[in-house]
Amino acid sequence: QLRTVESGGGLVQPGGSLRLSCAISGFTLDYSTVGWFRQAPGKERERVSCISSGDGSTFYADGVKGRFTISRDNYNRTVILQMNNLKPEDTAVYYCAIQRSRQCASDPEEYDYWGQGTQVTVSS
């Protein structure tokens, strides 16, 4: 069974940066995507970024374009979400998830494996 473990969250002031890491264990295929989602209290879980393990294509939500960067290592065992110029509205629990597909889906229901999340708090 595939497993994902998120790390790197914490408390940061507006304008600061955090680097989230998703460690992937278990059997993996190139035929998959890895997405980063976030969920704030009382809100729906939303996709912020995604990367294809096959061709490396990426997706960014409109609200994070130019600020967040997703990347993966050569073995597809670690996926990074570099978050710069953080804003208070970025505050949420961030989750790493795996989808067995070639293209990144927006619906979290399309993703098959989820980690426990890491808390990101952006506050003065």
Side-chain angles (χ1 to χ4, degrees), residues 19 24 34 38 43 48 53 56-58 65 68 77 85-87 97 118 123:
R19 182 177 181 270
I24 301 170
V34 179
R38 66 187 182 189
K43 295 186 177 181
V48 297
S53 298
S57 61
T58 59
K65 287 181 179 178
F68 291 11
R77 309 309 291 182
N85 192 24
L86 284 162
K87 303 176 180 180
T118 184
S123 179

Side-chain angles (χ1 to χ4, degrees), residues 21-80:
S21 178
C22 173
I24 301 170
S25 62
F27 184 79
T28 60
L29 297 171
D30 289 341
Y31 197 86
S32 65
T33 69
V34 179
W36 281 99
F37 292 77
R38 66 187 182 189
Q39 188 167 23
K43 295 186 177 181
E44 297 290 328
R45 188 169 298 187
E46 63 173 334
R47 183 179 61 160
V48 297
S49 188
C50 187
I51 188 168
S52 170
S53 298
D55 61 11
S57 61
T58 59
F59 162 87
Y60 298 96
D62 289 342
V64 306
K65 287 181 179 178
R67 300 190 297 119
F68 291 11
T69 302
I70 191 170
S71 61
R72 57 179 172 85
D73 65 16
N74 293 331
Y75 307 99
N76 297 318
R77 309 309 291 182
T78 304
V79 176
I80 301 297

